[in-house]
Each structure stands twice: as C-alpha cells, then as structure tokens.
Amino acid sequence: MPNITSIGTYLPCWGVVDHRVAGDDEDAITLAVEAGRAALSGGASVDSVVLVSRDLPLTDSSNAAVLLAGLDLDPELEVTERLGGAPATLDALSSARSRTLVIGVDLEPAGAAAVLTADRGLNVRTSARVARSLPVRTRNTTGAVHDYGDPRLLHDRGLVASLAASWLDKPTVVAGVDRKAAARLAEVDAEVPTMGASSGLFALAAMAEQELSGSLVAVEQASLSGISVAAAPVAVYRRDLAPRSKSEEPVASDDELRISLAAYERAFEAKVRWEAGKFTDSEVLDFPPRYHVGTDGALRTDYELVPLPRAGVVYSEATVHVPVPGLPSPYSLVLVELDDVGVRALVKVAGAHVGLVGIGDRGRLVLRRLAIRSGVPDYGYAFEPEEVAA
C-alpha cells in the first residue's frame, strides 16, 4: 500500500481549456519530464521511475536516458516503460515501492501527471481490477488505428459492465473517459483534462486538492483498475499553462538532415542534462564543453561537467526565415544569459508565437524535441518565456 508525498501535473500551452495539444517540439518524453520535475519540486529522493504511455517515441530502444537526464536523476536508476492507458498507470501506482516516481503521459488530448511515493502521505491501495476484452479501438504493428465505431457497445458492455463486475457502481471519481461520462458515472466531476495514461493521476491530484477520500476508478475500453484513496496532506505542483491557439507554421520540406550518431553520443550528457565543462584550475564554464590547449601545448580533455541554471534573461534574439529541411519555418532563436554563471546559450523559443520574445524577457530552459533526424528524436533545451509559464 504505497503512500504519496507529492503530485505534479503538466498541460501544454497550446489548445483550449478542455483539449490541450502538444507543441511541434513536444512528445511523450518532454511532457513526462515537465510533470516529473513538478512532482520533484519538494526535493525528495527517487529510487526508481515508472513511465506509462501509449505514445512512447522509441519502441525498439529505450527512452530512459533522456527521461532521467531531463529529470536530473542518476543515470543508474531503474526505469520501467509500460505501454498502457489509465488502468495501467493505477496498477503501476498501487504496486509501487517507496520513492518511486510514477508518470503517465498522453498526446491526445495532451497532458502528463506524476506522483512520488514515500513512507508517509496520502495512502492508496488496490480496490478493484477487471480485465475484459472488448477491442473497440486497435493499433497494429505499423501504427495504423482501427476504430470499430460503436460508442453504445463500448459504454454498455465495456464501461458499465466492468464497473458492475468490480462492485463499484458509483465510484467517487472516474478517469479514462470523457468529461460527460465521468460526471454521469461518478459522485464527483474531477474535470480531468486527459483520457489516457495520465488521467488517473490528474484525477488523484484533484482528489488531493479537495481532500476527498473514496474510490478512484480508471477504465480503458473494458479493462478497469480501481484504488481506494485515504485523504491526507500531499503537495500538488501544477504546471498547467494557460491555453492559447496554436499557429500552424509551414514545414520547409519532407527532407531531413541526417543524424550523426557518433556526434549525438558525444554531445548527449551536456546537451540533455544541461551541463557545462569546467577545468579544475579555472572558474570559467564552457558551454558546450570543449577541450583546452595547455600552456605546455598539450591538449587537455580532463574537464568535469557541472549543472547549469535553468533560468535566464534574453540577451539577443532573431527570427530565422531561411527554410531548414524537416523543421517548421520561420522560427525564433534567442541568446539567453543564464543566471549567475556568465554563460550565454543560443536556443530556440518554446511555447510562444514566432517573433514575440524580446530582449530582457525572463524565462526558463525546458527540455524539448528539437528535431527528428533519421528517425531519432533529437532532444535539447529551449527558452520558455516567463509569461507562458505563469
């Protein structure tokens, strides 16, 4: 029976109040990092991470390295990646050990939520689990989706029948369905903004904020998982950005710049963990890290990586109109002077329309998917202006 010490949520700034859309530079991993960092705002320790989604960018490889780097966690931590929806996330939570960060992510509608377990806090335990087969929506190995298109069958023989089988005819909160169905089937409308893997954790955040005890049920087609929630003080950190309409920037072409995996591997730690190089006999930080030539003419490669601040002020800005293969164009670049370290970093702008960020604007550096090259998501940091994060 795990206890929860903190909950973090993230909603992208694009879309409308009840339907958020991921930005062109966002995917399941960047959303997971935002929610996870929110849940870790209190500074608690983490021993393992569980990531649940049906939208993982890498399926023939692991997403763990980027996830841990973005969360600023030890690269040796255990990471479990689960393919699943709302019931899978509650199952992962109900069986989690203490100091486990459980993250659920969705892209349609877009949102992510994370919970951190501990020895004390809001207590949850498994109350129901029903596994029934009613594959109304399927996805094959090539990614093609088939929808049977019978909402009444899904409602009557899926959702309602599974609730009856679990002896939970009227749960306190229901997740994994649209707002209208959730309000009708549950005692409380938690106004959950997603319907997939993150929805149960968004519902749990709402219960924690309202100090509600009772049953939380997550459903997906005919499968169901339920937990009992005992109200207790828990920190809820929300990074739910104010919604705005998304402009569709034209993509330069279907061509792409091919990736050099050798260069990708060399730059990964500093680029994705946001670190600079520092030699022991110098206070100067090099970003990106680079070798030095010593006074004796020998090449020095013995620098160490040190974390950089993730906040700063725009020193200069420019809008690039020259098309770049595979990227939306135009796009904005800013030179950001990072707080208190004497380092300036050239990065793209995230979460704002082209040309609206100016010199002197404050903001934070956020992990984003900068491009997809040769099928590989290429991650790095972008500048999100303070007015977006507010």
Side-chain angles (χ1 to χ4, degrees):
M1 294 190 299
N3 298 291
I4 297 169
T5 185
S6 64
I7 305 173
T9 69
Y10 173 71
L11 291 175
C13 66
W14 306 116
V16 294
V17 172
D18 56 355
H19 191 114
R20 300 302 179 96
V21 179
D24 293 332
D25 55 0
E26 293 183 302
D27 65 7
I29 299 304
T30 65
L31 267 63
V33 166
E34 290 285 356
R37 291 185 70 87
L40 297 176
S41 296
S45 61
V46 178
D47 290 344
S48 61
V49 180
V50 179
L51 174 64
V52 186
S53 181
R54 290 204 180 277
D55 303 298
L56 297 175
L58 296 177
T59 54
D60 287 346
S61 181
S62 173
N63 300 281
V66 175
L67 180 64
L68 292 175
L71 293 171
D72 202 21
L73 295 176
D74 192 318
E76 296 184 0
L77 286 188
E78 174 190 353
V79 176
T80 302
E81 299 177 48
R82 283 193 182 187
L83 185 66
T89 307
L90 287 197
D91 285 343
L93 173 60
S94 62
S95 61
R97 306 187 303 268
S98 181
R99 292 181 294 280
T100 296
L101 183 65
V102 180
I103 311 174
V105 187
D106 298 294
L107 292 182
E108 183 57 36
V115 300
L116 180 62
T117 62
D119 297 326
R120 298 179 181 178
L122 185 148
N123 180 260
V124 300
R125 61 179 178 83
T126 301
S127 62
R129 185 174 289 123
V130 175
R132 298 174 58 242
S133 181
L134 188 65
V136 173
R137 180 182 170 89
T138 61
R139 183 185 307 180
N140 64 20
T141 55
T142 64
V145 174
H146 179 267
D147 196 324
Y148 188 74
D150 193 336
R152 179 172 290 279
L153 175 68
L154 180 61
H155 178 271
D156 293 347
R157 298 304 306 152
L159 175 58
V160 175
S162 292
L163 284 172
S166 68
W167 302 94
L168 292 171
D169 293 331
K170 195 71 171 179
T172 308
V173 176
V174 172
V177 296
D178 60 64
R179 289 275 305 277
K180 184 177 179 180
R184 183 176 65 253
L185 293 166
E187 295 176 357
V188 177
D189 180 7
E191 300 184 357
V192 177
T194 60
M195 293 189 294
S198 65
S199 60
L201 304 186
F202 272 107
L204 189 60
M207 293 182 71
E209 289 177 325
Q210 299 177 45
E211 299 182 352
L212 289 177
S213 294
S215 57
L216 166 58
V217 170
V219 295
E220 184 180 47
Q221 302 194 56
S223 296
L224 175 151
S225 182
I227 59 174
S228 294
V229 180
V234 58
V236 178
Y237 303 98
R238 292 193 178 272
R239 290 183 178 174
D240 299 349
L241 307 181
R244 64 181 66 185
S245 59
K246 180 182 178 184
S247 61
E248 296 296 333
E249 303 295 348
V251 176
S253 71
D254 292 332
D255 298 330
E256 64 176 21
L257 298 177
R258 295 182 62 82
I259 195 169
S260 166
L261 285 178
Y264 172 94
E265 187 275 333
R266 284 195 302 270
F268 182 87
E269 289 297 323
K271 181 179 178 182
V272 183
R273 287 189 172 272
W274 197 240
E275 295 174 330
K278 180 180 180 299
F279 288 88
T280 55
D281 59 352
S282 173
E283 295 301 316
V284 177
L285 300 181
D286 295 326
F287 184 76
R290 49 189 174 269
Y291 298 153
H292 283 190
V293 177
T295 55
D296 58 356
L299 186 65
R300 297 189 57 188
T301 64
D302 57 334
Y303 62 77
E304 62 176 353
L305 293 174
V306 297
L308 287 170
R310 300 194 186 209
V313 177
V314 174
Y315 179 82
S316 183
E317 58 84 23
T319 297
V320 180
H321 294 271
V322 178
V324 177
L327 296 181
S329 179
Y331 60 91
S332 293
L333 291 174
V334 290
L335 190 62
V336 180
E337 186 156 358
L338 303 179
D339 291 347
D340 305 322
V341 291
V343 172
R344 293 171 184 163
L346 181 66
V347 294
K348 291 181 71 175
V349 173
H353 293 298
V354 173
L356 295 185
V357 175
I359 294 172
D361 289 350
R362 281 198 62 83
R364 63 188 185 108
L365 283 299
V366 294
L367 183 71
R368 290 293 183 264
R369 187 192 64 196
L370 303 181
I372 299 178
R373 308 185 195 279
S374 306
V376 178
D378 190 11
Y379 296 95
Y381 282 79
F383 178 81
E384 183 182 76
E386 208 168 57
E387 63 178 33
V388 174

